[in-house]
Amino acid sequence: MRTFHDAKAMAKSLRERLAEKNIALSHSECLELVAQEFGFDNWNVLAARIGGEEGVRFTHCAPIIRIFDTAKAKEFYLDFLGFERDWDDAAEWEDPERKAPLYSSVSRAGQHLHLTEHHGDASPGGNAFITMHGVREFHAELAAKKYRYNKPGLETVDWGLMVTVSDPFGNNLRFCEYKPAVAKRLGLD
């Protein structure tokens, strides 16, 4: 099955088939038609999407979030938000003998967060904007947990739906599901 990566070959085939029926379209016109069939506004948008998948690509972003207390971080990030520990640079979180500050990666559904006790890694009171699908379900899940320190709402904003939670260290995490039109415009659909 062909994908948008085959757009140039598809435009060439389209032009050849149309020529057999005595319909003359330029290669450029055929590229525009193929781009529209794949749901892109025009060939330039599709070409950028194809080109964006080669060479330099950003594949992941993990916000670094300052924490001060591993027990509170565990209660909030693991128990309340449902993230899981991926790795730590120190011994277990609960180890009373741990001397070094913690630096840990937690994740859920492909989203990674780095939690740090290291001075200078991040400032308390930061914000992270996290795009996602299923924000209504996520909101319902959080509300059902009845976490006594946080009662997040589901907010309608111009670009979609958003749930904002504040961690025990003054950091805000904004979980956003874009409206379909916004997601399409950003190439996230």
Side-chain angles (χ1 to χ4, degrees), residues 4-58:
F4 67 86
H5 291 93
D6 304 311
K8 287 183 180 180
M10 293 170 71
K12 181 179 177 184
S13 294
L14 176 62
R15 185 172 183 212
E16 290 169 355
R17 296 262 168 100
L18 290 172
E20 291 170 4
K21 298 181 182 287
N22 293 324
I23 300 172
L25 288 179
S26 68
H27 184 66
S28 176
E29 291 171 316
C30 290
L31 286 170
E32 293 294 332
L33 290 171
V34 169
Q36 290 172 8
E37 285 301 307
F38 278 113
F40 294 92
D41 291 338
N42 57 52
W43 168 248
N44 289 332
V45 174
L46 174 55
R49 178 80 179 262
I50 294 169
E53 295 189 7
E54 299 171 9
V56 175
R57 281 191 314 144
F58 297 102

Side-chain angles (χ1 to χ4, degrees), residues 4-160:
F4 67 86
H5 291 93
D6 304 311
K8 287 183 180 180
M10 293 170 71
K12 181 179 177 184
S13 294
L14 176 62
R15 185 172 183 212
E16 290 169 355
R17 296 262 168 100
L18 290 172
E20 291 170 4
K21 298 181 182 287
N22 293 324
I23 300 172
L25 288 179
S26 68
H27 184 66
S28 176
E29 291 171 316
C30 290
L31 286 170
E32 293 294 332
L33 290 171
V34 169
Q36 290 172 8
E37 285 301 307
F38 278 113
F40 294 92
D41 291 338
N42 57 52
W43 168 248
N44 289 332
V45 174
L46 174 55
R49 178 80 179 262
I50 294 169
E53 295 189 7
E54 299 171 9
V56 175
R57 281 191 314 144
F58 297 102
T59 59
H60 180 72
C61 180
I64 300 173
I65 298 171
R66 184 76 155 96
I67 63 170
F68 300 100
D69 181 309
T70 55
K72 287 181 181 179
K74 179 183 180 299
E75 179 184 27
F76 181 79
Y77 286 98
L78 306 185
D79 300 340
F80 178 54
L81 294 183
F83 280 71
E84 294 182 6
R85 285 173 42 196
D86 299 322
W87 52 263
D88 307 314
D89 73 347
E92 293 296 311
W93 285 26
E94 297 83 14
D95 182 0
E97 302 298 316
R98 182 170 54 85
K99 303 282 189 236
L102 178 77
Y103 191 97
S104 181
S105 174
V106 298
S107 65
R108 178 176 177 181
Q111 176 60 54
H112 295 261
L113 303 173
H114 288 192
L115 308 178
T116 182
E117 288 182 310
H118 291 265
H119 176 75
D121 277 355
S123 296
N127 291 291
F129 186 84
I130 302 165
T131 59
M132 65 178 295
H133 295 286
V135 75
R136 287 182 193 278
E137 294 86 351
F138 183 62
H139 174 258
E141 176 188 316
L142 296 181
K145 290 185 178 178
K146 298 183 183 355
Y147 180 65
R148 66 186 204 166
Y149 302 112
N150 215 304
K151 307 282 187 243
L154 181 63
E155 179 184 4
T156 300
V157 292
D158 290 343
W159 52 88

